[in-house]
Amino acid sequence: MQSLLCSLSRRWAVALLALVCIALSGCAAQEAYREGQRKVAQGELRAALEDFDRASALEPGSAEYRIARTRTRERLLAQQLARAEHALERGQLDVAAQGFAEVLAFAPGQERALQGQQQVERQRRWDGVLRQAEVAAGSKQWEQVRTLLRPLLIEAPGLRRARQLMQQADDASTPDAGEAAERALAAAYRKPISIEFRDTALKTIFEVLSRSTGLNFVLDREVRVDQKATIFLKNATVESALSMLLVSNQLEQRVLDANSVLIYPSTAAKLREHQSLAVRSFYLANADAKTVAATLKQLLKVREAVVDEKLNLVIVRDTPQAIRLAAKVVVLQDVPEAEVMLEVEVLEVKRTRLLDLGVRWPDQLTLSPLPAATGGMLTLDDLRNLNSTTTGVAIGGIGINARSAATDANILANPRIRARNREKARIHIGERVPNITTTSTSTGFVSESVTYVDVGLKLDVEPTIYLDDEVAIRVALEVSNIISQVQTKSGTLAYQIGTRTASTVLRLKDGENQVLAGLISDEDRRSANKVPGLGGVPVLGRLFGVQADDETKTEIVLSITPRVVRNLQRPDAATQSFDSGTEAAASARGAAPAAAPAAAPAPVRPGALPAAAAAPPTAAAAPGTSTSTGTSTGAGAPNSASTSAAAAAPSVIAGGATVEQLAPVRARWLAPATARVGETISVQLLASSELPLTALPAVLSVDPRVWTVMAVGEGAFLRQGGATTSFSSQVDTAGQIVVNASRSGSGGAQAEQVLLSLTLKLQSRPADGQAQVRLLSLAPLGLGGTALNAAQTQPLQVTVTP
């Protein structure tokens, strides 16, 4: 019996212990679930998921815990995927790759994450191809650009930068037929020539020019070959000589092929018959197609211009010269309009103070006869018997007023509005109050109409953006509110509206703040109800009367700050001013300048540049028969052709070496030797050249894990001599910096100056402790667009100190 009792007690103890464990696990699961809900509300999804996992493990049979775990897991996955995809859209490939990897570590096989990783790899490959294409475009290797971009655009036709580079390559290397033929004749047209004809037949002149230049001149049947002409030119070019000959004899030319030129009379019939016409379409991104077409018709007198408003397209048909002029005009007009962001803050400050203090004494005593005892009306006889018992008295009560009220109200409106240049923008914050009007006719017909009145804050602005980043703003401010309601005899409600307005014109700098204040309404009302005489006693008068002092002051303050989002970019001097031909014929190419006088080369020392010395001009040819195209006309006469060729190609000196190889364009770094993590340093790239430079594009590279590019600035190298420069830079997520720098005007840059400056922030320390900045390529251009060579520049190394 005793053993049986011991066995039962042990069983009861085990059961009780099991129940206690179950209860404790249930409490722990519930606590973990509540903690997970709290973290979900705070946005800590990963920590909340761990709590739900613990709750599900403690109580596996709870459907509520499993549902919370599943929902949190899906929400966390969606959040991580959205973050990674957003980084991919912004071009932050490393961040996107890390985000997709985290998703796959959390949920292996997740389809969107796998596709995202593949897209990151494709984007990296596309970026590499684009960098190669940009380097080739900087060196004007357009065929290589097309070779790189063709497969890329087939795979990813939506890449905007790739389409832009392909368009540049097509525009640069695919001219129209007439322009291609003229380019083929460019070498022959640039040959130096000295001619002297006096009263010579045109046929003879063209025969001499043909034998001297190797060009074929085809004369139209209506050209008077026996017409006499006189022309004297020294140290000119074939192009200028032919142009002057045609202009002086009312003739025109048409380039047929690389060796043949057609000469025909400059008459309307012959122009229609021989003058070649081209068609060019201009897809406009910013300007209005009608405006551009009107400009082309008025300025260039183009023959035909068709406008497609739906596509914002202008199609022009005219001569190739006029088409090239039209392209230059369209570039000047099709520019983005300036825009400004207006940060407006309107503050209405209302301050009310009320003091109602005093004793309200009875101000009226009323005596009235009491009714007759019979209950009937009073008679005159009853009035004769009035006394204190038959007279009633009515007197007001005594009240004490002790009330003080203070109200401070701030009504704030802080809108931000973006407006285009010279376009009106309006802000209305408030209500539209209905105003009902009743109309009745003689026949008894009654109608009601509802009109709405804007009440609240109304702000009208019209910005005018200037080139110096100043903004003139025409401001009209109106603040209105409902003061009271007025009811007409017919029962219709009308509203009494109070309003305050201000209108002005401001001119502010970009980011300058202006506060307009002074729209103040100040009311001071005092009312009193006093006992005569006693109520006028100072201080004690409050005991014998009631006085209410009500002060209300309202002020409206307007703060406005313009932020120029995009300003009009002034084009360079070469784009703003160019030759447009004559009144009779538009032409984008003016008469060629005369060739420079011939120079005899001086002896060249090894490693030195050749020097040019002045030489007398070539001897004149015999009247009417002689011509010179650079051949020697006497002993020791210089060769003009060699001088002209030297201007267009690298000069060749002894041993077959070029001037560029002996004196290349050089670049060197100027930067601190050491830097610390988190420090911002300035790195300068200095350039120098033995030959005048007109452009010096560059491509640089930094490790984005080590450096952060804060700014890219222009140096003074290309601005030498006060020239106007064009400078632009582009930094991608892979750390590549593409810089386009050029100058306009005469002459070129040579002396060593800063080409560009980089502001870099050191983010981390490399494994070897050396942070590098690399110069990948320099593509210098000399006078006339001649491509020059540049010496190799070693990478910049900055030692990262602890």
Side-chain angles (χ1 to χ4, degrees), residues 558-616:
L558 170 64
S559 172
I560 186 167
T561 305
R563 308 280 185 186
V564 177
V565 179
R566 178 177 56 238
N567 204 347
L568 186 65
Q569 296 296 325
R570 189 193 300 271
D572 54 27
T575 307
Q576 294 184 61
S577 177
F578 48 84
D579 187 14
S580 63
T582 63
E583 180 70 23
S587 174
R589 183 189 67 247
V604 179
R605 302 187 308 274
L609 291 177

Coordinates of all heavy atoms in Angstrom, one line a residue, residues 558-616:
L558 N 5.7 87.2 -45.3 CA 6.0 86.4 -46.4 C 7.5 86.3 -46.6 O 8.2 87.3 -46.7 CB 5.4 87.0 -47.7 CG 5.8 86.3 -49.0 CD1 5.3 84.9 -49.1 CD2 5.3 87.1 -50.2
S559 N 8.0 85.0 -46.6 CA 9.4 84.8 -46.9 C 9.6 84.0 -48.2 O 8.9 82.9 -48.3 CB 10.0 84.0 -45.7 OG 11.4 83.5 -46.0
I560 N 10.4 84.4 -49.1 CA 10.6 83.8 -50.4 C 12.0 83.6 -50.7 O 12.8 84.6 -50.5 CB 9.8 84.6 -51.5 CG1 9.8 83.8 -52.8 CG2 10.4 86.0 -51.6 CD1 8.9 84.4 -53.8
T561 N 12.4 82.4 -51.2 CA 13.8 82.1 -51.5 C 13.8 81.4 -52.8 O 13.3 80.3 -53.0 CB 14.5 81.2 -50.4 OG1 14.3 81.8 -49.1 CG2 15.9 81.0 -50.7
P562 N 14.5 82.0 -53.9 CA 14.6 81.3 -55.1 C 15.8 80.4 -55.2 O 16.8 80.7 -54.7 CB 14.7 82.5 -56.1 CG 15.4 83.5 -55.4 CD 15.0 83.4 -53.9
R563 N 15.6 79.2 -55.8 CA 16.7 78.2 -56.0 C 16.7 77.9 -57.5 O 15.7 77.3 -58.0 CB 16.5 77.0 -55.2 CG 16.2 77.2 -53.7 CD 17.5 77.4 -53.0 NE 17.3 77.5 -51.5 CZ 18.2 77.8 -50.6 NH1 19.4 78.1 -51.0 NH2 17.9 77.9 -49.3
V564 N 17.7 78.4 -58.2 CA 17.8 78.1 -59.6 C 18.1 76.7 -59.9 O 19.1 76.1 -59.5 CB 18.9 79.0 -60.3 CG1 19.0 78.7 -61.8 CG2 18.5 80.5 -60.1
V565 N 17.1 75.9 -60.5 CA 17.3 74.5 -60.7 C 18.1 74.3 -62.0 O 19.0 73.5 -62.1 CB 15.9 73.9 -60.9 CG1 16.1 72.4 -61.2 CG2 15.1 74.0 -59.6
R566 N 17.8 75.1 -63.0 CA 18.5 75.0 -64.3 C 18.5 76.4 -64.9 O 17.5 77.0 -65.1 CB 17.9 74.0 -65.2 CG 18.6 73.9 -66.6 CD 18.0 72.8 -67.5 NE 16.6 73.0 -67.7 CZ 15.7 72.1 -67.4 NH1 16.0 70.9 -66.8 NH2 14.4 72.3 -67.6
N567 N 19.7 76.9 -65.3 CA 19.8 78.2 -65.9 C 20.1 78.0 -67.4 O 20.6 76.9 -67.8 CB 20.8 79.1 -65.2 CG 20.6 80.5 -65.5 OD1 19.8 80.9 -66.4 ND2 21.2 81.4 -64.8
L568 N 19.9 79.0 -68.2 CA 20.3 79.0 -69.6 C 21.8 78.9 -69.7 O 22.5 79.8 -69.2 CB 19.7 80.2 -70.3 CG 19.8 80.2 -71.8 CD1 19.1 79.1 -72.5 CD2 19.4 81.6 -72.4
Q569 N 22.3 77.9 -70.4 CA 23.7 77.8 -70.6 C 24.1 78.6 -71.9 O 23.7 78.4 -73.0 CB 24.1 76.3 -70.8 CG 23.9 75.5 -69.6 CD 24.7 75.9 -68.4 OE1 25.9 76.3 -68.6 NE2 24.1 75.8 -67.2
R570 N 25.0 79.6 -71.6 CA 25.4 80.4 -72.7 C 26.4 79.6 -73.6 O 27.4 79.1 -73.1 CB 26.1 81.7 -72.2 CG 26.5 82.7 -73.3 CD 27.4 83.7 -72.7 NE 26.9 84.4 -71.6 CZ 26.2 85.5 -71.7 NH1 25.9 86.1 -72.9 NH2 25.8 86.1 -70.6
P571 N 26.1 79.5 -74.9 CA 27.0 78.7 -75.8 C 28.3 79.4 -76.0 O 28.5 80.6 -75.7 CB 26.2 78.6 -77.1 CG 25.3 79.8 -77.1 CD 24.9 80.0 -75.6
D572 N 29.3 78.7 -76.4 CA 30.6 79.2 -76.6 C 30.6 80.2 -77.8 O 29.7 80.3 -78.5 CB 31.7 78.2 -76.8 CG 31.4 77.2 -78.0 OD1 30.6 77.7 -78.9 OD2 31.8 76.1 -77.9
A573 N 31.7 81.0 -77.9 CA 31.8 82.1 -78.9 C 31.7 81.5 -80.3 O 31.1 82.2 -81.2 CB 33.1 82.9 -78.7
A574 N 32.3 80.3 -80.5 CA 32.2 79.8 -81.9 C 30.8 79.4 -82.3 O 30.5 79.5 -83.5 CB 33.2 78.6 -82.0
T575 N 30.0 79.0 -81.4 CA 28.6 78.7 -81.7 C 27.7 79.9 -81.8 O 26.8 80.0 -82.6 CB 28.0 77.8 -80.6 OG1 28.9 76.7 -80.4 CG2 26.7 77.3 -80.9
Q576 N 28.0 81.0 -81.1 CA 27.2 82.2 -81.1 C 27.5 83.0 -82.4 O 26.6 83.7 -82.8 CB 27.5 83.1 -79.9 CG 27.1 82.5 -78.6 CD 27.4 83.4 -77.4 OE1 26.8 84.5 -77.4 NE2 28.2 83.0 -76.5
S577 N 28.7 83.0 -82.9 CA 29.0 83.8 -84.1 C 29.6 82.9 -85.1 O 30.6 82.2 -84.9 CB 30.0 84.9 -83.6 OG 30.3 85.7 -84.8
F578 N 29.1 83.0 -86.4 CA 29.6 82.2 -87.5 C 29.2 82.9 -88.8 O 28.3 83.7 -88.8 CB 29.1 80.8 -87.4 CG 27.7 80.6 -87.3 CD1 26.8 80.7 -88.3 CD2 27.1 80.4 -86.0 CE1 25.4 80.6 -88.1 CE2 25.8 80.3 -85.8 CZ 24.9 80.4 -86.9
D579 N 30.0 82.6 -89.8 CA 29.7 83.2 -91.1 C 28.5 82.6 -91.7 O 28.2 81.4 -91.6 CB 30.9 82.9 -92.0 CG 30.8 83.6 -93.4 OD1 30.0 84.5 -93.5 OD2 31.5 83.2 -94.3
S580 N 27.6 83.4 -92.3 CA 26.4 82.9 -92.9 C 26.3 83.2 -94.4 O 25.2 83.2 -95.0 CB 25.2 83.6 -92.2 OG 25.2 85.0 -92.4
G581 N 27.4 83.4 -95.1 CA 27.3 83.7 -96.5 C 26.9 85.1 -96.9 O 27.2 86.0 -96.2
T582 N 26.2 85.2 -98.0 CA 25.8 86.5 -98.5 C 24.3 86.6 -98.5 O 23.6 85.6 -98.2 CB 26.3 86.7 -100.0 OG1 25.7 85.7 -100.8 CG2 27.8 86.5 -100.0
E583 N 23.8 87.8 -98.9 CA 22.4 88.0 -99.0 C 21.7 87.1 -100.0 O 20.6 86.6 -99.8 CB 22.1 89.4 -99.3 CG 20.6 89.8 -99.4 CD 19.9 89.7 -98.0 OE1 20.6 89.9 -97.0 OE2 18.7 89.6 -98.0
A584 N 22.4 86.8 -101.1 CA 21.9 86.0 -102.2 C 22.0 84.5 -101.9 O 21.1 83.8 -102.3 CB 22.6 86.3 -103.5
A585 N 23.0 84.1 -101.2 CA 23.2 82.7 -100.9 C 23.7 82.5 -99.5 O 24.8 83.0 -99.2 CB 24.1 82.0 -102.0
A586 N 23.0 81.6 -98.7 CA 23.5 81.3 -97.4 C 24.5 80.2 -97.5 O 24.4 79.3 -98.3 CB 22.3 80.8 -96.5
S587 N 25.5 80.4 -96.7 CA 26.6 79.4 -96.7 C 27.2 79.3 -95.3 O 27.5 80.4 -94.7 CB 27.7 79.8 -97.7 OG 28.8 78.9 -97.6
A588 N 27.4 78.1 -94.8 CA 28.0 77.9 -93.5 C 29.5 78.0 -93.5 O 30.2 78.0 -92.5 CB 27.6 76.6 -92.9
R589 N 30.1 78.1 -94.7 CA 31.6 78.2 -94.8 C 31.9 79.5 -95.6 O 31.5 79.7 -96.7 CB 32.1 77.0 -95.6 CG 33.6 77.0 -95.6 CD 34.1 75.9 -96.6 NE 33.8 76.1 -97.9 CZ 32.9 75.4 -98.6 NH1 32.3 74.4 -98.0 NH2 32.6 75.7 -99.9
G590 N 32.7 80.4 -94.9 CA 33.1 81.6 -95.6 C 34.3 81.4 -96.5 O 34.8 80.3 -96.7
A591 N 34.8 82.4 -97.0 CA 36.0 82.3 -97.9 C 37.1 81.9 -97.0 O 37.3 82.3 -95.9 CB 36.3 83.7 -98.5
A592 N 37.9 81.0 -97.6 CA 39.1 80.5 -96.8 C 40.1 81.5 -96.7 O 40.3 82.4 -97.5 CB 39.7 79.3 -97.6
P593 N 40.8 81.6 -95.5 CA 41.8 82.6 -95.3 C 43.0 82.3 -96.2 O 43.3 81.2 -96.6 CB 42.1 82.4 -93.8 CG 41.7 81.0 -93.5 CD 40.6 80.7 -94.4
A594 N 43.7 83.4 -96.4 CA 44.9 83.3 -97.3 C 45.9 82.4 -96.6 O 46.1 82.4 -95.4 CB 45.5 84.6 -97.6
A595 N 46.7 81.7 -97.4 CA 47.7 80.8 -96.8 C 48.8 81.7 -96.2 O 49.1 82.8 -96.7 CB 48.3 79.9 -97.9
A596 N 49.4 81.2 -95.2 CA 50.5 81.9 -94.5 C 51.7 81.9 -95.4 O 51.9 81.1 -96.3 CB 50.9 81.2 -93.2
P597 N 52.6 83.0 -95.3 CA 53.7 83.0 -96.2 C 54.6 81.8 -95.9 O 54.7 81.3 -94.8 CB 54.4 84.3 -95.6 CG 53.4 85.1 -95.0 CD 52.4 84.1 -94.4
A598 N 55.3 81.4 -97.0 CA 56.1 80.2 -96.9 C 57.3 80.5 -96.0 O 57.8 81.6 -95.9 CB 56.6 79.8 -98.3
A599 N 57.8 79.4 -95.4 CA 58.9 79.6 -94.5 C 59.9 78.4 -94.8 O 59.5 77.3 -95.1 CB 58.4 79.5 -93.0
A600 N 61.2 78.7 -94.7 CA 62.2 77.7 -94.9 C 62.6 77.1 -93.6 O 62.8 77.8 -92.6 CB 63.4 78.4 -95.5
P601 N 62.6 75.8 -93.5 CA 62.9 75.1 -92.3 C 64.4 75.3 -91.9 O 65.3 75.3 -92.7 CB 62.6 73.7 -92.5 CG 62.7 73.5 -94.0 CD 62.3 74.8 -94.6
A602 N 64.6 75.6 -90.6 CA 66.0 75.8 -90.1 C 66.5 74.4 -89.7 O 65.8 73.5 -89.5 CB 66.0 76.7 -89.0
P603 N 67.9 74.3 -89.6 CA 68.4 73.0 -89.1 C 67.9 72.7 -87.8 O 67.7 73.5 -86.9 CB 69.9 73.3 -89.1 CG 70.1 74.5 -90.0 CD 68.9 75.3 -89.9
V604 N 67.7 71.4 -87.6 CA 67.1 70.9 -86.3 C 68.1 70.1 -85.5 O 68.8 69.2 -86.1 CB 65.9 70.0 -86.7 CG1 65.2 69.5 -85.4 CG2 64.9 70.8 -87.4
R605 N 68.3 70.5 -84.3 CA 69.2 69.7 -83.4 C 68.4 68.5 -82.9 O 67.2 68.5 -82.7 CB 69.6 70.6 -82.2 CG 70.4 71.8 -82.6 CD 70.9 72.5 -81.4 NE 69.9 72.7 -80.4 CZ 69.1 73.8 -80.3 NH1 69.2 74.7 -81.3 NH2 68.2 73.9 -79.4
P606 N 69.1 67.4 -82.6 CA 68.4 66.3 -82.0 C 67.7 66.6 -80.7 O 68.3 67.2 -79.8 CB 69.6 65.3 -81.8 CG 70.7 65.7 -82.7 CD 70.5 67.2 -82.8
G607 N 66.4 66.3 -80.7 CA 65.6 66.5 -79.5 C 65.0 67.9 -79.4 O 64.4 68.3 -78.5
A608 N 65.3 68.8 -80.5 CA 64.8 70.2 -80.4 C 63.7 70.3 -81.5 O 63.6 69.5 -82.4 CB 65.9 71.2 -80.7
L609 N 62.9 71.4 -81.3 CA 61.8 71.6 -82.3 C 62.3 72.4 -83.4 O 63.2 73.3 -83.3 CB 60.7 72.4 -81.6 CG 59.9 71.7 -80.5 CD1 58.9 72.6 -79.9 CD2 59.2 70.5 -81.1
P610 N 61.8 72.2 -84.6 CA 62.2 73.0 -85.8 C 61.7 74.4 -85.7 O 60.6 74.7 -85.2 CB 61.5 72.3 -87.0 CG 60.4 71.6 -86.4 CD 60.8 71.2 -85.0
A611 N 62.5 75.4 -86.1 CA 62.1 76.8 -86.0 C 61.8 77.2 -87.4 O 62.4 76.8 -88.4 CB 63.3 77.6 -85.5
A612 N 60.8 78.2 -87.6 CA 60.4 78.7 -88.9 C 61.0 80.1 -89.1 O 61.1 80.9 -88.2 CB 58.9 78.7 -89.0
A613 N 61.5 80.3 -90.2 CA 62.1 81.6 -90.6 C 61.3 82.2 -91.7 O 60.9 81.5 -92.6 CB 63.5 81.5 -91.0
A614 N 61.1 83.5 -91.7 CA 60.4 84.2 -92.8 C 61.2 84.1 -94.1 O 62.4 84.2 -94.1 CB 60.1 85.6 -92.4
A615 N 60.4 84.1 -95.2 CA 61.0 84.0 -96.5 C 60.2 84.9 -97.5 O 59.1 85.1 -97.2 CB 61.1 82.6 -97.0
P616 N 60.9 85.4 -98.5 CA 60.1 86.3 -99.4 C 59.1 85.5 -100.2 O 59.2 84.3 -100.4 CB 61.2 86.8 -100.4 CG 62.3 85.8 -100.3 CD 62.3 85.2 -98.9

